[in-house]
């Protein structure tokens, strides 16, 4: 089935290219840990010395804002580099991936547009589900589940615009929907496979943690990293297959 082939291709992409993934993600992750540690340390150093009642709150807000900006920048840096590696075969040079500032900003812009679409379309759906839950709970639950699945599948179709932004070949929402026409069933199977993989991975983490807690923590971190990279690779696979017409066999 097409959906299973999409999942296997993305899964294999991570397994086959784990060395390149390490070179793309490791150093930015370490930089992020150091930067976040410095921000937190600075916050704890400033707050006890403040005399104004408003200053601690302002410092905390600035601190959390700084952590968000640093995390978002480093994460997008890695994701863009991964998309470019897979699609453009832009090999990582050394242990620090190329910082494509223009594409990172374009990626952020595309995420913002996707978020706005989600709010505009999702708000009426949430209102309808809420009203149904009050008047007809059973119908509301069924409609809510169906609406949620539809929204996720629609996002998966529109998400092909993200790798497009990463490689500097923007794709509009209309073009993304046209290219992925007739893919609802395949994407639903892909979604089921992804959910099944995440459930299996988290179950393994819980089981290992219950048996040997010392190994549970590093295994949990490794699993989280792998699943995150798998999600990014699914976006790359969807773009490559539906937008560029690449084979997944």
């Amino acid at each position: 089935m097409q959906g299973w082939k999409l999942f296997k291709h993305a899964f294999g992409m991570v397994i086959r290219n784990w060395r390149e993934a390490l070179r793309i993600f490791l150093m930015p992750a370490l930089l992020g840990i150091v930067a976040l540690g410095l921000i937190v340390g600075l916050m704890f150093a400033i707050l006890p010395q403040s005399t104004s009642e408003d200053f601690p709150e302002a410092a905390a807000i600035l601190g959390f804002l700084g952590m968000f900006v640093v995390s978002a920048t480093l994460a997008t840096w890695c994701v863009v580099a991964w998309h470019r590696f897979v699609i453009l075969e832009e090999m990582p040079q050394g242990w620090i991936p190329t910082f494509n500032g223009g594409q990172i900003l374009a990626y952020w812009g595309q995420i913002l547009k996707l978020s706005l679409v989600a709010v505009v379309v999702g708000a009426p759906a949430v209102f309808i589900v809420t009203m149904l839950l009050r008047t007809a709970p059973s119908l509301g639950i069924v409609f809510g589940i169906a609406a949620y699945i539809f929204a996720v599948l629609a996002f998966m179709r529109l998400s092909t615009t993200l790798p497009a932004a990463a490689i500097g070949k923007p794709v509009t929402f209309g073009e993304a929907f046209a290219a992925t026409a007739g893919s609802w069933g395949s994407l639903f199977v892909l979604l089921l496979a992804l959910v099944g993989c995440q459930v299996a991975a988290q179950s393994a983490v819980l089981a290992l943690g219950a048996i040997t807690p010392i190994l549970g923590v590093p295994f949990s971190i490794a699993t989280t990293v792998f699943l995150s990279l798998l999600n990014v690779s699914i976006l790359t696979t969807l773009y490559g297959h539906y937008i560029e017409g690449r084979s997944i066999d």
Side-chain angles (χ1 to χ4, degrees):
M1 296 191 302
Q2 189 80 349
W4 178 246
K5 288 181 179 179
L6 289 167
F7 177 79
K8 283 201 306 180
H9 189 271
F11 192 94
M13 184 185 299
V14 179
I15 300 299
R16 290 190 304 270
N17 301 294
W18 67 270
R19 295 178 183 83
E20 288 77 12
L22 192 63
R23 293 173 66 181
I24 289 174
F25 287 88
L26 180 60
M27 286 307 296
L30 294 177
L31 288 174
I33 293 173
V34 172
L36 294 178
L38 290 174
I39 293 174
V40 172
L42 185 61
M43 289 173 59
F44 278 101
I46 292 176
L47 293 179
Q49 301 176 11
S50 61
T51 55
S52 171
E53 294 182 357
D54 297 329
F55 184 75
E57 182 177 350
I61 292 174
L62 289 175
F64 285 117
L65 180 60
M67 287 190 287
F68 171 77
V69 171
V70 169
S71 301
T73 301
L74 292 173
T76 313
W77 176 15
C78 295
V79 170
V80 167
W82 179 256
H83 286 318
R84 295 178 67 86
F85 160 66
V86 175
I87 300 171
L88 302 179
E89 298 183 358
E90 189 175 277
M91 300 296 292
Q93 302 298 321
W95 288 90
I96 298 181
T98 303
F99 188 86
N100 299 283
Q103 277 64 56
I104 290 174
L105 290 176
Y107 208 88
W108 283 357
Q110 204 60 42
I111 290 175
L112 178 60
K113 287 192 283 186
L114 284 169
S115 301
L116 291 175
V117 169
V119 170
V120 171
V121 177
V126 170
F127 176 76
I128 294 173
V129 171
T130 302
M131 296 302 296
L132 286 174
L133 288 173
R134 292 178 178 176
T135 56
S138 299
L139 181 60
I141 292 173
V142 172
F143 182 82
I145 294 174
Y148 177 77
I149 294 175
F150 174 82
V152 172
L153 297 182
F155 173 81
M156 292 172 74
R157 293 181 64 181
L158 293 177
S159 67
T160 53
T161 60
L162 292 172
I167 65 172
K169 297 180 180 179
V171 172
T172 65
F173 288 155
E175 292 170 338
F177 253 93
T180 56
S183 64
W184 292 104
S186 297
L187 294 180
F188 182 67
V189 173
L190 172 61
L191 177 62
L192 291 179
L194 180 59
V195 171
C197 179
Q198 292 178 334
V199 170
Q202 293 302 324
S203 299
V205 168
L206 292 175
L208 184 61
I211 298 172
T212 54
I214 296 178
L215 295 178
V217 174
F219 185 71
S220 176
I221 295 174
T223 301
T224 301
V225 171
F226 177 81
L227 291 176
S228 299
L229 190 52
L230 177 61
N231 284 314
V232 175
S233 297
I234 285 175
L235 298 183
T236 312
T237 300
L238 292 176
Y239 173 86
H241 180 63
Y242 288 108
I243 304 299
E244 294 193 341
R246 300 189 183 192
S247 174
I248 54 173
D249 293 322

